[in-house]
Amino acid sequence: MKHTKALELVDLLLEIQRITTVLDPLIEEGRAEFEEFTSSLNEILEKVFPTYTVVISGPVGSGKSTLLSSLLQEAGSHPIASIGPSNETFAPMSISFSKHANLIVWYFGIDILHTIEEQLTSFEREGDHSHLVAQYRDIRNRLRQIPAVLAGEKGREVVKRISLDGLNRDTTTDTIRSYTAQSSSLPDVYGIYRAEITYPGRILRDLRNVRFTDLFGFGEPSPLINIKYSRFISEKFPDAVVYVFPDRSITQDFLKLFEIQSFIEKIVKKGRLFLVLNKADAYTDSNVNRWPAVVAQFRAAIAHHVPALSKLVHEIPIFILSAASIDSTIQHIEARHIRDASLSSLHHLRDKIRDLSDDLEDSSSDPSVYLGSLFDLMKTLDLLVCGVELSLDQIEARIPSISGLIGDISNRQTSFEDERVSRLDVFRATLENELVKHLADIDYENTVLFNMSECEPNHPERLFGWMVESAHLGAMQVFNYKLSKILSEIGDLVDDHLLRAYREYVLLQDKAAKAESSTISGISDTTFKPLSSTVEHAAKDFVRFTNNPQLHLSAKTIFEKFSNWYLRKRCVWNAERGQNVSTIKNQIYLNVEKAIETFMLVYVCEDKQLTKSYLPHICFGGVPTLWEQLVKHVTGLDELLANQIRITKWRFGLYQNRRFFVSNRPEYNRTAHELLSKKQQAEELIIKLA
């Protein structure tokens, strides 16, 4: 009797755990108490009821859902005992025991849109990814239409519970498929990353520690499938894997399992990998007397083609069957024999899973050890339910103000991209004026030094060569002593003049957003991540770039090549006999100045009058000018700022889309009251057990 009551208490605790998971996003008042409650409850449940996740995996069309359906098939079955064959599962779907039939679905949070947007931007920037760009745009647009996704935060996603109690088989199947099948007309299927069905099935009761998970087929082409798969594996590492083969081929789908970290150690070596050769009725050697030989041949094939399993494959259980023959009627001359042999294999597979469940049962603790702690935990549920109801009231009251705030932000947002050309032209003029001032301050006579003792005024050819070489050396002296400093000062100018426009806009946007949000109850300054911090960081990065020694070395290399060409090809030299020393010096000073001014005006700001003639000669080998790098940076900064604005709008939209919670308020109210009812039942059981 006491054991029965203990099991009843465990069932109640599991229901309380599920309900609090659903209410999690609504907990604002009492968040610390809630997190302490869930942590303590989970810790106790792991000790008194350690669950075991058995993943049913395999390629598309292998019959995973049909096999799981057969595993759960029972006489006088519950409407959901057989979930029905399906090859279109669009989210990992778990099945576990509960006294009440429910479908529980977990939605992505708002951060999934940021992830998709980042990947989309990356593909668009790289080019040659038109197919992926189209896919990611479609996914993004679909996710934007799902209120539950927009309402969820990272770490506090929306979880929805749909009661299946009292529904017949057809209605149950339709409801489940509407949330988990790719062909569903419900848009939510794109935003649901996992689902769980609970119901009071006899077989599930016998295997009460086991949670089965029907994992969608590997090899699905949709990027969203990969995202859901990665999310599931990161949250729910499998304790055992049943891999279903549709035939005897060993493909990349099977090898993908070994990409899971520690798969060999935690699954294979512990005897928790089970292989199923399904659809045996379709084999050419489908006679059941041949099945042992088929299994032996398949085992040898795995040893040969999967090196990681060569020494372990003989310990891996392999089952051969036709799940379709168990779950329905097949058209085959040996149908009865195939069904009988398949049932035998299925029972052996159940026995293996039951052994795992028994091991967990033996390692579990008696709930009576935790009765005092559980009774204390139950007392906090009243406070949490009050917090949920208060949160719903606050959300409903905020919606009108928040809707207006969204509109204001959208109206203020301007397109930097449209203004970029005119803004850069204005800045180019400012930059050029500043650069001309810096260049005018260079004292060439005291900076350009050369050895007059090597000058031969009476030999024109030697004089010409000496003047060009001296001018080139002098130009490099000017670069080392003067131009490096000018480039650094230009970097400061870029920060002060160009990025100031961005900062002013962003600070204005932040200030307006905070001022308006302060009128909305419950939203604090910490709710918003200021755009200014991100743009300020980018500004500092650019300043470091313009003062980067590597940049100056690159400019020096370009200038060295350009000045050598310019002094020889574009400068006028008078090398006739009779030139006096003063005239020779003045020619060198003048031509060095021309080379430097031409280079700097084209390299730094691409002067409109000089650039067309000299840009090809400055950019030897396609090396970009400082101006080209600056424009590239500005373009990247535009994209960064646009993304930040979108993120901020999403964060505001998060509150606006909590309209989702209000529209579902009756269901949340019922869930909260049910939680109190379960809590009262649990307290009564605790008292009886104590």
Side-chain angles (χ1 to χ4, degrees):
M1 179 71 176
K2 192 166 185 178
H3 178 68
T4 303
K5 297 262 181 219
L7 288 178
E8 190 176 345
L9 175 60
V10 169
D11 291 338
L12 271 172
L13 294 176
L14 288 170
E15 286 297 320
I16 288 171
Q17 182 190 48
R18 292 187 182 104
I19 292 172
T20 53
T21 298
V22 172
L23 295 178
D24 183 356
L26 284 172
I27 302 292
E28 293 185 10
E29 299 293 329
R31 165 56 55 179
E33 291 86 348
F34 172 76
E35 290 178 349
E36 182 179 348
F37 170 83
T38 54
S39 175
S40 300
L41 181 60
N42 290 340
E43 186 176 339
I44 291 172
L45 281 172
E46 284 175 6
K47 291 175 180 176
V48 303
F49 189 73
T51 56
Y52 203 96
T53 301
V54 177
V55 167
I56 313 294
S57 183
V60 177
S62 58
K64 299 182 301 299
S65 297
T66 307
L67 175 66
L68 182 53
S69 175
S70 300
L71 273 170
L72 301 177
Q73 192 71 275
E74 54 194 57
S77 63
H78 188 278
I80 357 178
S82 171
I83 61 171
S86 168
N87 63 353
E88 54 177 6
T89 311
F90 204 47
M93 184 166 62
S94 300
I95 301 174
S96 60
F97 175 82
S98 172
K99 281 191 173 182
H100 299 278
N102 292 296
L103 171 64
I104 305 169
V105 292
W106 280 258
Y107 290 84
F108 286 114
I110 193 73
D111 53 299
I112 185 65
L113 278 170
H114 190 198
T115 300
I116 295 294
E117 194 72 42
E118 283 183 334
Q119 192 62 64
L120 177 59
T121 301
S122 175
F123 286 138
E124 288 174 335
R125 187 181 294 118
E126 291 173 10
D128 300 325
H129 294 291
S130 57
H131 179 62
L132 285 171
V133 167
Q135 282 189 318
Y136 273 84
R137 281 180 180 166
D138 179 60
I139 294 169
R140 177 195 62 187
N141 294 339
R142 288 177 183 271
L143 291 173
R144 283 177 175 174
Q145 302 305 312
I146 303 173
V149 170
L150 300 177
E153 300 178 49
K154 186 174 183 180
R156 294 173 61 185
E157 295 94 346
V158 170
V159 181
K160 192 172 182 179
R161 187 177 62 146
I162 301 95
S163 176
L164 302 175
D165 275 336
L167 301 183
N168 61 34
R169 180 182 294 275
D170 290 342
T171 306
T172 296
T173 301
D174 289 344
T175 302
I176 293 171
R177 287 186 174 176
S178 68
Y179 283 93
T180 61
Q182 192 166 5
S183 63
S184 169
S185 59
L186 187 72
D188 285 35
V189 294
Y190 280 80
I192 293 169
Y193 72 87
R194 71 181 177 96
E196 183 161 359
I197 301 168
T198 69
Y199 69 94
R202 181 181 59 81
I203 290 176
L204 283 173
R205 181 76 190 198
D206 291 344
L207 302 172
R208 64 191 317 270
N209 295 82
V210 174
R211 173 187 285 111
F212 292 98
T213 297
D214 181 12
L215 196 62
F216 40 61
F218 293 137
E220 290 278 3
S222 169
L224 194 59
I225 285 289
N226 293 327
I227 294 173
K228 291 183 179 185
Y229 169 72
S230 300
R231 178 70 178 267
F232 176 79
I233 291 298
S234 68
E235 290 184 353
K236 301 285 181 183
F237 189 89
D239 297 291
V241 174
V242 177
Y243 192 87
V244 185
F245 292 88
D247 50 39
R248 283 171 272 183
S249 301
I250 301 170
T251 65
Q252 287 298 119
D253 299 322
F254 179 58
L255 299 178
K256 189 176 179 69
L257 283 175
F258 300 95
E259 296 175 8
I260 301 174
Q261 191 175 12
S262 306
F263 183 79
I264 293 287
E265 297 296 324
K266 294 183 178 179
I267 303 294
V268 181
K269 288 186 177 180
K270 290 186 177 182
R272 297 176 180 179
L273 173 63
F274 309 112
L275 307 182
V276 175
L277 286 171
N278 193 18
K279 302 186 179 183
D281 56 296
Y283 296 172
T284 54
D285 44 2
S286 59
N287 188 298
V288 296
N289 295 322
R290 286 280 304 145
W291 285 9
V294 170
V295 170
Q297 292 169 5
F298 184 67
R299 196 183 298 274
I302 289 179
H304 178 70
H305 293 290
V306 188
L309 295 182
S310 60
K311 295 181 180 179
L312 302 169
V313 68
H314 297 290
E315 303 297 324
I316 298 174
I318 301 177
F319 306 89
I320 183 170
L321 52 80
S322 167
S325 71
I326 302 170
D327 203 47
S328 57
T329 303
I330 60 170
Q331 298 299 317
H332 197 286
I333 193 171
E334 297 285 336
R336 184 173 64 82
H337 296 297
I338 289 174
R339 186 174 191 276
D340 290 345
S342 296
L343 278 170
S344 176
S345 293
L346 186 72
H347 283 299
H348 287 143
L349 177 57
R350 275 184 186 168
D351 290 342
K352 287 289 184 182
I353 296 172
R354 184 176 286 107
D355 289 343
L356 297 176
S357 182
D358 291 343
D359 288 343
L360 280 184
E361 187 74 33
D362 292 340
S363 66
S364 63
S365 303
D366 191 319
S368 62
V369 176
Y370 302 97
L371 294 183
S373 300
L374 286 170
F375 197 79
D376 290 339
L377 282 176
M378 293 304 108
K379 291 180 180 179
T380 65
L381 290 181
D382 292 295
L383 175 65
L384 297 180
V385 169
C386 289
V388 169
E389 292 174 340
L390 178 61
S391 177
L392 284 167
D393 288 336
Q394 290 176 340
I395 289 169
E396 193 162 19
R398 292 176 195 166
I399 282 179
S401 300
I402 293 170
S403 297
L405 181 56
I406 292 287
D408 289 342
I409 287 182
S410 298
N411 292 335
R412 270 201 314 274
Q413 182 181 352
T414 59
S415 172
F416 282 133
E417 191 162 348
D418 291 344
E419 299 176 3
R420 185 185 301 149
V421 174
S422 60
R423 186 159 26 88
L424 284 174
D425 279 344
V426 171
F427 178 69
R428 188 202 309 268
T430 304
L431 189 63
E432 186 168 338
N433 289 336
E434 193 68 21
L435 180 60
V436 169
K437 291 179 184 177
H438 283 300
L439 294 175
D441 290 338
I442 297 175
D443 182 356
Y444 288 93
E445 292 187 14
N446 290 317
T447 306
V448 178
L449 304 175
F450 41 84
N451 187 355
M452 287 299 299
S453 65
E454 297 178 0
C455 177
E456 299 184 53
N458 296 319
H459 294 83
E461 290 184 5
R462 295 177 188 174
L463 178 60
F464 172 78
W466 179 85
M467 284 195 293
V468 171
E469 185 178 348
S470 297
H472 187 234
L473 292 173
M476 297 312 299
Q477 291 168 359
V478 174
F479 188 96
N480 292 332
Y481 294 111
K482 300 294 182 181
L483 298 192
S484 293
K485 294 180 181 179
I486 292 176
L487 285 172
S488 296
E489 292 173 359
I490 290 299
D492 294 336
L493 183 72
V494 169
D495 184 44
D496 290 341
H497 287 260
L498 182 64
L499 296 181
R500 184 186 301 163
Y502 288 91
R503 284 207 216 61
E504 287 176 354
Y505 173 82
V506 175
L507 289 170
L508 191 65
Q509 189 80 297
D510 278 342
K511 185 177 180 181
K514 286 187 177 181
E516 293 172 40
S517 65
S518 66
T519 64
I520 301 173
S521 172
I523 299 182
S524 66
D525 285 350
T526 56
T527 305
F528 307 108
K529 298 291 184 184
L531 302 182
S532 51
S533 62
T534 300
V535 176
E536 193 71 28
H537 178 72
K540 290 175 181 177
D541 276 350
F542 187 74
V543 173
R544 284 198 294 270
F545 160 72
T546 53
N547 287 281
N548 190 324
Q550 190 62 40
L551 176 70
H552 300 325
L553 287 174
S554 174
K556 184 177 180 179
T557 301
I558 297 172
F559 176 67
E560 187 170 10
K561 293 180 180 179
F562 170 77
S563 60
N564 186 51
W565 169 84
Y566 184 87
L567 290 166
R568 291 181 182 278
K569 301 293 185 180
R570 293 300 176 93
C571 288
V572 178
W573 298 94
N574 184 355
E576 295 178 0
R577 288 187 179 89
Q579 297 293 318
N580 60 42
V581 172
S582 178
T583 303
I584 292 172
K585 287 184 177 180
N586 287 337
Q587 287 187 69
I588 292 174
Y589 297 145
L590 179 62
N591 286 330
V592 167
E593 184 176 1
K594 286 181 179 178
I596 285 174
E597 288 188 350
T598 301
F599 174 80
M600 291 294 281
L601 288 170
V602 175
Y603 178 74
V604 172
C605 55
E606 294 192 4
D607 177 276
K608 290 187 175 182
Q609 294 181 342
L610 296 172
T611 296
K612 187 174 181 180
S613 300
Y614 294 106
L615 187 60
H617 303 289
I618 286 179
C619 295
F620 292 98
V623 180
T625 63
L626 178 66
W627 182 257
E628 287 177 304
Q629 295 179 62
L630 187 149
V631 171
K632 182 179 179 181
H633 173 76
V634 170
T635 303
L637 193 62
D638 284 344
E639 293 171 356
L640 172 71
L641 186 55
N643 283 335
Q644 289 299 113
I645 290 172
R646 276 197 293 271
I647 292 167
T648 295
K649 290 178 69 177
W650 284 338
R651 289 185 67 82
F652 279 113
L654 177 151
Y655 288 94
Q656 183 192 32
N657 283 290
R658 283 194 170 177
R659 194 186 299 263
F660 164 82
F661 288 126
V662 177
S663 64
N664 287 275
R665 182 165 185 169
E667 181 61 33
Y668 281 115
N669 285 337
R670 282 193 296 272
T671 301
H673 292 148
E674 184 181 349
L675 179 60
L676 290 179
S677 173
K678 301 288 183 189
K679 167 247 183 183
Q680 184 176 351
Q681 294 174 46
E683 285 181 330
E684 292 171 357
L685 270 173
I686 291 169
I687 292 171
K688 289 178 181 178
L689 285 168

